[in-house]
Amino acid sequence: MSDVLCIYYTRSGKTKEAMTEIAEALGAELAEISDGVDRSGFRGYLRAGMEAMRRSTHPLRPVHTGRPLEEYRLVIVGTPVWAGRCSAPVRGFLKRRGLELSRVAYVLTRGCEKRYEEIYDQMDLYTAQKHLLGGSLRVGSVGYPFWRDKFIQEVQRYLESGEEQ
């Protein structure tokens, strides 16, 4: 059983793609967050943006992990960027379970050039400790493999350093 968890929400599949690649590279457990809300198509895209701007959340479906969240050496939370904010399902997860996360890193997936690193601070409002690492990825862009691999290397250095103990 891995001591690193990659947990994410995806609407279009891009966050899932990035988090799957990261989890495979790290030998990490992978889990998906879901609230059961249909956000497919153009209407779903608009709905997602409105939910993010309003900071609204919906009840989440249970997330099954191999161990309690606080027992992982590192939990990497992946979210798409919606209207300059983290996705509503990830916000809901952090509101409900964020205090269980004392060693957390974030992965943002975005559709434009802006890195949106201020979202890390928004997400930190719900966690027990501020994030340790962050990556802002544009899946499918020319620079995506570089930034993905850079994030993976930073995580590996963190885990090898033993700082979490």
Side-chain angles (χ1 to χ4, degrees):
M1 179 180 345
S2 178
D3 57 359
V4 176
L5 173 66
C6 290
I7 189 165
Y8 67 92
Y9 172 79
T10 192
R11 187 188 81 79
S12 67
K14 291 181 180 180
T15 306
K16 179 179 183 175
E17 177 183 339
M19 292 299 285
T20 300
E21 292 170 357
I22 291 167
E24 287 174 359
L26 297 171
E29 182 180 342
L30 187 65
E32 185 172 357
I33 298 167
S34 175
D35 59 7
V37 175
D38 181 12
R39 295 183 183 88
S40 60
F42 184 70
R43 292 185 73 172
Y45 172 82
L46 293 176
R47 178 183 190 157
M50 291 301 294
E51 288 173 349
M53 290 187 332
R54 292 181 179 150
R55 294 183 174 93
S56 63
T57 62
H58 299 279
L60 299 175
R61 292 184 173 163
V63 177
H64 302 287
T65 57
R67 59 178 72 191
L69 293 177
E70 61 272 6
E71 291 183 13
Y72 287 95
R73 287 178 66 198
L74 183 66
V75 176
I76 303 170
V77 179
T79 182
V81 173
W82 290 353
R85 295 173 172 82
C86 74
S87 66
V90 168
R91 181 182 306 281
F93 172 76
L94 293 174
K95 279 183 169 183
R96 291 164 182 85
R97 310 276 312 268
L99 293 178
E100 299 172 52
L101 306 176
S102 57
R103 293 171 306 275
V104 66
Y106 303 135
V107 171
L108 308 177
T109 57
R110 55 196 165 75
C112 67
E113 292 298 321
K114 185 173 177 1
R115 295 187 53 83
Y116 290 105
E117 291 173 330
E118 65 276 8
I119 294 174
Y120 302 151
D121 296 330
Q122 295 170 15
M123 296 168 73
D124 281 344
L125 295 174
Y126 305 107
T127 57
Q129 298 289 324
K130 291 187 179 286
H131 70 287
L132 300 166
L133 302 163
S136 179
L137 306 174
R138 188 170 177 208
V139 179
S141 73
V142 167
Y144 168 72
F146 172 82
W147 292 108
R148 179 204 56 213
D149 293 348
K150 183 177 186 300
F151 176 78
I152 290 167
Q153 291 167 359
E154 288 173 357
V155 170
Q156 289 169 331
R157 274 194 297 275
Y158 167 77
L159 295 171
E160 289 167 4
S161 74
E163 291 179 36
E164 74 278 357
Q165 298 167 359

